Amino acid sequence: LVNLVAHPLAPYGWNERVQARVRAAADPRLPPGRVARVDRGALTAITASGTVRLASRGIDVTTGDWVLLSGAAEPAVAAVLPRWSALARHDAGRAGDTQLLAANVDTGFVVVGLDRGLNVSRLDRLLTIIWSSGATPVVVLAKADLVPAPAAVVSEAERVTVGVEVVEASSLSGEGIDRLRELLPPGETGVVIGESGAGKSSLVNALIGADVQAIGGVRGDFKGRHTTRARELVPLPGGGVLLDTPGIRGVALTAGQEGGLEHTFADVLERAATCRFADCGHEVEPGCAVQAAVAAGELDPVRVSSFHELRREVATAARRAEARTGRTAPKRQDRQDRLVPPLPDERRRDPDWS
């Protein structure tokens, strides 16, 4: 294997992790490639010899995957190299299955248009999905040039996120663009995720320094028009790789995303660790440190409500997964797993995210 920087796949994220995975593969002699785009099952991959169209042969592949190829005349995916991160959401259209959105992402940029304000519930969901994937989230408050005084929204975003950097950005003025480039050094991959019309494709163009992604307008109800049609990898001049995505509206959580919640609501769980009872539900129980913090104005009651809602959603997804497989998933033994009691019903749902 050649030097990392000199490798022909370096512009698409070839790094030590990928190289190690190729060496550990069952047949490391097979040529590697990275899936750059998926269109209704048709795969486009970047290889050392150029761009190729691939057959997946029934293998579950998503944009960002590193693969090994077989067949010279008709290349196909022979193996998917182990992922270090996998961005996923609940797919209501396939009997509750999980839909993979991207793989091998290091940083997830949650793009929020400052012209429409901050939807904290949606932000909680997106941050949880990114934390759960194994990537590190960054909140990007885009379209800063359209808001005369964005400081209030920026302050709110910093208040409701824990351990997450917030970057105010404008694709027109260039504000924040240099910082976003710094967050994607050579060999690393970022994904932009958010609603249609939030300004994702404009940011991609600003980071690249060229109009490579189509840009659409925003309707009077602030609902954006879909301009990005597929998830696609785009190399950046500085050496990083960016994965642009279509506008995402439904972001229901899946089974197994409890770890993401523990990151998103680290402040809530820090209080919960000092509750009087180990099985405290953090609602009406005596000695509840979470409710005491709410009463003292130290925790936002809306934030605590969001925590309960998303924990219930993950628990519901886990039960459905168990019902489909016909077996019970092993229970975690740590105390955090008992912070929310079993659901009395499954009717609580945000209609905007169904």
Side-chain angles (χ1 to χ4, degrees):
L1 296 176
V2 301
N3 178 273
L4 293 174
V5 177
H7 196 283
L9 289 175
Y12 283 88
W14 182 272
N15 57 29
E16 292 180 354
R17 284 182 294 188
V18 182
Q19 185 168 269
R21 283 161 169 76
V22 172
R23 285 174 170 164
D27 189 351
R29 297 169 298 175
L30 291 175
R34 192 171 197 189
V35 178
R37 185 177 174 117
V38 178
D39 295 285
R40 297 183 178 179
L43 309 180
T44 301
I46 309 297
T47 70
S49 57
T51 303
V52 297
R53 299 283 281 180
L54 298 176
S56 65
R57 293 178 178 172
I59 300 176
D60 193 12
V61 185
T62 191
T63 307
D65 268 324
W66 286 96
V67 297
L68 297 180
L69 310 180
S70 63
E74 296 183 3
V77 176
V80 178
L81 296 178
R83 300 163 177 144
W84 60 81
S85 68
L87 196 69
R89 66 171 176 176
H90 172 79
D91 186 358
R94 296 193 303 168
D97 289 343
T98 297
Q99 179 192 18
L100 278 176
L101 300 176
N104 302 317
V105 169
D106 301 289
T107 304
F109 297 101
V110 179
V111 182
V112 178
L114 278 169
D115 58 334
R116 63 185 64 184
L118 192 67
N119 185 321
V120 176
S121 175
R122 183 177 295 130
L123 184 60
D124 287 341
R125 288 174 177 275
L126 292 174
L127 292 177
T128 299
I129 285 177
I130 293 172
W131 280 124
S132 299
S133 75
T136 300
V138 173
V139 175
V140 182
L141 300 179
K143 303 184 181 182
D145 54 284
L146 297 182
V147 181
V153 181
V154 175
S155 177
E156 182 183 9
E158 292 174 340
R159 180 179 61 83
V160 300
T161 57
V162 178
V164 177
E165 182 171 351
V166 177
V167 179
E168 186 180 342
S170 168
S171 58
L172 291 180
S173 70
E175 180 183 0
I177 299 302
D178 286 343
R179 177 53 186 158
L180 296 179
R181 289 195 183 106
E182 291 173 357
L183 292 169
L184 272 185
E188 293 199 2
T189 301
V191 61
V192 289
I193 187 170
E195 289 183 291
S196 295
K200 300 186 304 299
S201 294
S202 296
L203 283 174
V204 173
N205 290 340
L207 288 165
I208 294 172
D211 293 337
V212 298
Q213 298 294 77
I215 300 171
V218 178
R219 305 196 307 258
D221 58 0
F222 290 99
K223 299 297 183 181
R225 297 178 175 88
H226 291 275
T227 51
T228 302
R229 300 297 180 182
R231 295 181 291 276
E232 182 174 9
L233 285 176
V234 182
L236 299 182
V241 189
L242 202 56
L243 199 162
D244 194 10
T245 64
I248 182 171
R249 186 168 186 266
V251 284
L253 303 186
T254 68
Q257 291 186 325
E258 296 91 346
L261 287 173
E262 291 173 8
H263 279 286
T264 303
F265 297 99
D267 53 342
V268 177
L269 293 178
E270 181 180 3
R271 299 286 183 165
T274 62
C275 287
R276 181 186 303 175
F277 302 109
D279 59 350
C280 181
H282 316 301
E283 292 179 319
V284 296
E285 294 81 358
C288 175
V290 172
Q291 290 303 322
V294 170
E298 298 169 355
L299 279 180
D300 186 344
V302 175
R303 181 164 174 75
V304 174
S305 177
S306 179
F307 164 74
H308 283 301
E309 185 72 22
L310 297 186
R311 284 293 295 241
R312 289 186 175 98
E313 191 169 304
V314 171
T316 298
R319 287 198 295 273
R320 288 173 176 167
E322 292 168 7
R324 286 197 306 273
T325 59
R327 62 178 182 272
T328 301
K331 294 183 178 179
R332 295 177 56 186
Q333 297 301 313
D334 62 299
R335 183 174 180 271
Q336 301 290 355
D337 194 48
R338 301 193 299 272
L339 290 176
V340 176
L343 284 181
D345 62 73
E346 300 175 2
R347 292 175 296 178
R348 296 183 62 190
R349 178 171 296 186
D350 183 349
D352 190 38
W353 297 97
S354 59

